[in-house]
Amino acid sequence: MASARENTPRRNRHDQILDSAALQLANFGVGTSSLPEIAACMGLTRSALYYYAKSKEDLVFQVYHRSCDIMFEAAEASRSKSSNASEKLVEFVRTIAGREHIDVIALSEVGMLDAEQRTGVLERYEAVVGTIACILHEGVNRRELRACDTEITARTIVSIVQHLCMIKAWTQFRATISPLGDAVPDFARLVTGTTDLLLNGWAKDRTRPIPVQLIDFTPLLVTSARAFDREGLTRAKREEILITASRLFNQRGVSSTTLDDIANELGATKRTLYHHVGDKQTLLSACHERSRNIIKHLYREYGRRVEGGEDQAAAHLNYLRSTALAQLRADIAPLRVSVGIPELDDEGRKAHEKYVQWLLKISSTHRNRLRDSDALRDHDGKTLNLIHVGGVNWLAKGLVSIEPSRMADVACEVVDVLRLGLLPLT
């Protein structure tokens, strides 16, 4: 009797090349590699790869476009089923996460593409979001799902699914420094935990309203109101460089963003960047350090609120809302934790590893406090740590423009996807 693998259609050469490119793109990016170098990594001759891709940008475009096509087909197939909305969403997640090959990844470097390519990819991405939003809308109307902003919730679900696929790719390159730190998750358990959280959330009392009381970002802002405050002006210029670099790194990837790109965005020169920060390696490390300091500030404020007598659940939720809002704020713009890790030097990698361990420890501490206060239902805590990052990742990628007046509402909606889950609240 033939095995299931024997019955699986053989993947053509083009798909195999895109699989290899997707795996490399997920783990390393391709901005610093030439097409011949990429071909060598894939075990191909340069002419063989040029037959399928005219340039590295074309290769990235094909990987991203195919990734969105696969998600769209899966979303449409799930939507066409006669099952209820929650079952359709679970099927979509499991179908994409369960694919044998690494062919769905996040659009982490979509900003490196030219305008036509980027438009083509984002049109397919929007088609995926639109189909998931339709499933949500139909489910809300039939009272199979709780009321929600279907567009924002759809973007969050798609981002979570893409993040699951990135985790699968990261676990195949354990020799490299990974955004996962030392954690190597059981992937099947991770998918099960993800679908559980999407349906049921982590909050024990899903009907409890918690007022929005966001953490004050003012201490993080670097400004100089005095025209002759040279030291203040220097700090402000450095901060603007780090904010701009972080935003471009988030949208284009580190290897695809040059110092010229950053200088042009600022209306400055590379010499200015070198003077206020340093070379690109130093700049990347400084962006990571700044991002870590932002999260540490938010955690300190979270801790102060609890010590001051604020309810643990309220303090925790408003911390999560604030971290999501930080991704949207142009004047905060922290570098995403998974960006540029392969490009870090030894010192930067050690700092990243130390930070990941600290983050895991403090997250575990606060999760235990939530459980002790009876605010947390029984769930897979490790899954929540990994998947929450995926839920907010899309906010910093520039995939969609959000008006400043809507940012706080969007941040709250994104956090509620995993806090409340999608099943009806009553």
Side-chain angles (χ1 to χ4, degrees), residues 163-179:
H163 190 64
L164 278 173
C165 295
M166 294 294 282
I167 290 173
K168 183 191 289 186
W170 293 334
T171 58
Q172 296 195 19
F173 272 99
R174 297 310 301 168
T176 68
I177 182 168
S178 167

Side-chain angles (χ1 to χ4, degrees), residues 92-124:
F92 171 69
V93 174
R94 289 179 175 168
T95 297
I96 298 299
R99 292 184 65 82
E100 179 182 356
H101 304 279
I102 304 297
D103 49 15
V104 174
I105 59 172
L107 308 180
S108 300
E109 294 181 283
V110 70
M112 71 173 286
L113 302 177
D114 64 36
E116 183 179 358
Q117 291 173 328
R118 189 171 187 272
T119 298
V121 169
L122 292 183
E123 283 178 351
R124 298 306 290 160

Side-chain angles (χ1 to χ4, degrees), residues 239 242-243 286-294 331-334:
E239 181 73 1
L242 296 182
I243 289 173
C287 287
H288 268 288
E289 181 181 11
R290 178 178 176 274
S291 181
R292 292 193 292 266
N293 288 336
I294 290 170
D331 55 349
I332 303 296

Side-chain angles (χ1 to χ4, degrees), residues 58-79:
D58 182 38
L59 187 62
V60 175
F61 165 73
Q62 291 185 50
V63 169
Y64 284 165
H65 201 281
R66 183 186 67 159
S67 178
C68 291
D69 279 344
I70 291 169
M71 286 194 294
F72 176 71
E73 291 171 5
E76 282 289 310
S78 296
R79 186 188 176 197

Side-chain angles (χ1 to χ4, degrees), residues 31-259:
T32 57
S33 303
S34 65
L35 210 59
E37 289 170 331
I38 296 169
C41 290
M42 296 179 183
L44 297 171
T45 63
R46 179 169 55 181
S47 59
L49 185 55
Y50 272 118
Y51 177 78
Y52 295 100
K54 295 176 292 186
S55 64
K56 64 184 178 184
E57 289 80 9
D58 182 38
L59 187 62
V60 175
F61 165 73
Q62 291 185 50
V63 169
Y64 284 165
H65 201 281
R66 183 186 67 159
S67 178
C68 291
D69 279 344
I70 291 169
M71 286 194 294
F72 176 71
E73 291 171 5
E76 282 289 310
S78 296
R79 186 188 176 197
S80 67
K81 296 293 178 65
S82 59
S83 51
N84 65 37
S86 62
E87 291 169 341
K88 292 176 182 180
L89 293 171
V90 168
E91 180 177 347
F92 171 69
V93 174
R94 289 179 175 168
T95 297
I96 298 299
R99 292 184 65 82
E100 179 182 356
H101 304 279
I102 304 297
D103 49 15
V104 174
I105 59 172
L107 308 180
S108 300
E109 294 181 283
V110 70
M112 71 173 286
L113 302 177
D114 64 36
E116 183 179 358
Q117 291 173 328
R118 189 171 187 272
T119 298
V121 169
L122 292 183
E123 283 178 351
R124 298 306 290 160
Y125 164 78
E126 291 297 330
V128 180
V129 171
T131 303
I132 298 300
C134 283
I135 295 174
L136 291 165
H137 183 72
E138 292 163 3
V140 171
N141 285 345
R142 292 195 296 260
R143 298 187 179 181
E144 296 168 353
L145 303 175
R146 67 173 175 83
C148 64
D149 182 320
T150 55
E151 181 209 341
I152 299 303
T153 301
R155 294 186 188 282
T156 304
I157 292 171
V158 171
S159 186
I160 287 171
V161 170
Q162 290 174 315
H163 190 64
L164 278 173
C165 295
M166 294 294 282
I167 290 173
K168 183 191 289 186
W170 293 334
T171 58
Q172 296 195 19
F173 272 99
R174 297 310 301 168
T176 68
I177 182 168
S178 167
L180 302 174
D182 295 329
V184 183
D186 179 327
F187 194 71
R189 179 179 174 182
L190 184 61
V191 174
T192 299
T194 299
T195 56
D196 172 52
L197 287 167
L198 281 173
L199 296 183
N200 302 298
W202 53 261
K204 190 166 185 178
D205 183 358
R206 300 169 67 230
T207 63
R208 176 191 172 188
I210 296 180
V212 178
Q213 296 177 328
L214 298 169
I215 294 172
D216 183 13
F217 290 110
T218 304
L220 296 171
L221 303 179
V222 177
T223 59
S224 177
R226 296 171 54 198
F228 297 98
D229 179 7
R230 291 186 179 180
E231 186 176 333
L233 287 171
T234 297
R235 288 196 304 271
K237 288 179 180 179
R238 187 177 191 274
E239 181 73 1
E240 187 174 358
I241 291 170
L242 296 182
I243 289 173
T244 302
S246 295
R247 175 167 53 80
L248 293 180
F249 289 159
N250 282 336
Q251 296 177 6
R252 297 170 54 102
V254 172
S255 55
S256 304
T257 303
T258 66
L259 290 180

